[in-house]
Amino acid sequence: MKKVLAVVLASMMVLSLAACGGGDKKETEAPKETPKATEAAKETQAATEAAKETAEKATEAAPAANGEGLKIGVCIYKFDDNFMTLYRQELQKYLEETYGAEVTVVDGKGDQAEQTNQIDNFISQGVDVLILNLVQASATETVAKTCADAGIPAVFINREPDATELERWESEGVAATYVGADARQSGTFQGEIILDTPNKGDINGDGKVSYIMLIGDPENVDAQYRTEFSVKALTDAGMEVEELFAQRGDWDQAKGQELTANALAQFGDQIEVVFANNDAMALGAIEAIEAEDRKMNEDIYLVGVDALDEATAAIADGRMTGTVLNDHMGQSHTAADVAIKMANGEKVDTKYTVDYVKVTE
């Protein structure tokens, strides 16, 4: 193909030079055609026709390579998650508009058994690739093996598999990859936002930061890392910390409100910082904090993760201290790009990450 194109380009350059001949307007006698010139012209014409035919075939094949006609199944752990709503909508839009793929998105409703049935249905339908936001990250190995046995590549998103599973994909050549963000970074950024406050989170000046933790799902790696590294950022900076309360809120706004209300009733003014593993729970925490007439950024701090519109608006209004942008645009586009490559048989890495970004007033 490259050689043919080179010949075509060369012939085009020759024709271009001939067409742009010197500025002398005198009529000149056309050179006599020789057998060699005639043969060369025929060869050039043949090469041009061959290149044209190859280009036409490439154009016909291009849509498939770009995703046209590819069937993609997308499994989301549950549709009523604020962040994953943004993610899935952008993912579907990008796959359809950029690649022309046929995309079907299903709701796992927070039930791993239900989602497993959905995955099996996609496999029986013969989709070209699966994009999976699992209900339970612990199901990754089983699901990856099911997809591999069916010969269908899988892109796992948002919920990071453990390191041993990623290593297995690499060592066994499994057609699976993870696209997401490093949750350790998000936790670290939460802690750093608190350290950037005038008193570094020690509002009452007793030499320690007393906090409560709203945990998404203890089995989820993201929740584990955000819980650990938000506090680690404080201790690494030399701050003493005191955990007053840490409970599971399942990423849910109503539960975030309930847990924060319970903690405030139990510990009152002792609470200086509220760490929420995501913005949905943080938005619930705002309701509970305001119900107790606590003054945000004066006698209590609150940080979340995701940078939902409601959260960034609350930060701008002084009703929340900060959040960490979980880039759904960057992640969904990367997941789509990688899925298309895998569906077309290209080799990809076992992990792709998109950076978080701190968001404060």
Side-chain angles (χ1 to χ4, degrees):
M1 176 76 177
K2 290 182 179 177
K3 289 182 179 179
V4 173
L5 289 176
V7 171
V8 174
L9 289 172
S11 65
M12 289 173 67
M13 289 174 67
V14 170
L15 292 171
S16 177
L17 289 171
C20 301
D24 190 345
K25 303 236 181 231
K26 290 192 299 180
E27 292 184 5
T28 58
E29 185 180 349
K32 292 182 179 179
E33 188 169 318
T34 66
K36 286 186 177 180
T38 302
E39 186 62 28
K42 288 181 178 178
E43 289 177 2
T44 300
Q45 179 64 25
T48 303
E49 291 299 327
K52 183 179 178 182
E53 183 180 350
T54 303
E56 287 173 351
K57 288 181 179 178
T59 302
E60 292 172 1
N66 289 329
E68 188 75 30
L70 289 178
K71 295 180 180 179
I72 301 177
V74 180
C75 295
I76 302 299
Y77 92 102
K78 66 175 183 176
F79 275 11
D80 60 0
D81 179 287
N82 306 52
F83 175 72
M84 288 312 301
T85 296
L86 296 174
Y87 192 121
R88 66 181 166 85
Q89 289 174 346
E90 182 60 30
L91 176 66
Q92 182 166 8
K93 177 183 175 183
Y94 184 73
L95 281 167
E96 292 176 343
E97 294 184 0
T98 302
Y99 290 107
E102 296 178 18
V103 184
T104 303
V105 187
V106 294
D107 181 4
K109 301 176 182 178
D111 184 337
Q112 186 58 61
E114 170 73 14
Q115 189 178 67
T116 298
N117 287 333
Q118 293 169 345
I119 293 169
D120 290 340
N121 287 337
F122 275 134
I123 290 173
S124 66
Q125 293 165 19
V127 296
D128 295 293
V129 63
L130 282 167
I131 299 177
L132 305 169
N133 168 223
L134 296 184
V135 174
Q136 297 175 350
S138 57
T140 303
E141 182 178 357
T142 300
V143 172
K145 287 180 177 178
T146 299
C147 294
D149 289 343
I152 296 176
V155 180
F156 292 86
I157 60 172
N158 186 247
R159 298 185 168 186
E160 185 175 354
D162 61 39
T164 55
E165 180 62 4
L166 293 174
E167 290 169 4
R168 186 182 73 82
W169 296 348
E170 180 69 30
S171 63
E172 297 181 11
V174 177
T177 188
Y178 168 69
V179 176
D182 187 344
R184 288 166 289 200
Q185 184 185 52
S186 62
T188 299
F189 283 177
Q190 282 188 307
E192 290 178 353
I193 290 172
I194 298 302
L195 289 171
D196 287 339
T197 62
N199 44 37
K200 298 184 178 180
D202 182 15
I203 294 173
N204 60 23
D206 65 353
K208 61 186 176 184
V209 178
S210 300
Y211 69 91
I212 68 170
M213 184 71 67
L214 307 180
I215 302 169
D217 173 359
E219 292 185 4
N220 185 287
V221 172
D222 284 5
Q224 294 167 10
Y225 282 155
R226 289 173 188 172
T227 298
E228 176 185 355
F229 282 82
S230 56
V231 177
K232 186 176 185 296
L234 299 180
T235 56
D236 284 351
M239 299 297 294
E240 184 180 341
V241 298
E242 177 186 24
E243 180 183 277
L244 300 174
F245 179 98
Q247 288 196 26
R248 174 177 183 158
D250 290 320
W251 315 106
D252 184 76
Q253 183 167 334
K255 289 186 178 179
Q257 187 276 334
E258 179 184 352
L259 292 176
T260 304
N262 291 343
L264 287 168
Q266 185 175 354
F267 298 101
D269 292 345
Q270 288 179 258
I271 301 172
E272 297 169 300
V273 175
V274 178
F275 286 110
N277 280 176
N278 75 336
D279 279 348
M281 293 189 296
L283 292 169
I286 291 175
E287 299 175 46
I289 289 168
E290 291 180 342
E292 292 296 320
D293 292 325
R294 297 289 293 270
K295 292 181 171 51
M296 188 64 64
N297 299 327
E298 292 184 26
D299 63 22
I300 195 167
Y301 295 121
L302 168 65
V303 288
V305 175
D306 285 337
L308 298 177
D309 288 346
E310 301 93 326
T312 56
I315 293 168
D317 292 340
R319 300 170 61 233
M320 185 170 167
T321 307
T323 186
V324 181
L325 172 65
N326 194 3
D327 183 5
H328 74 277
M329 295 283 284
Q331 290 182 55
S332 61
H333 290 190
T334 300
D337 293 340
V338 172
I340 295 296
K341 287 182 178 180
M342 295 178 78
N344 285 294
E346 295 183 42
K347 183 173 175 55
V348 299
D349 295 335
T350 56
K351 183 177 180 180
Y352 294 85
T353 57
V354 177
D355 280 341
Y356 287 96
V357 180
K358 296 178 194 175
V359 180
T360 63
E361 187 178 4

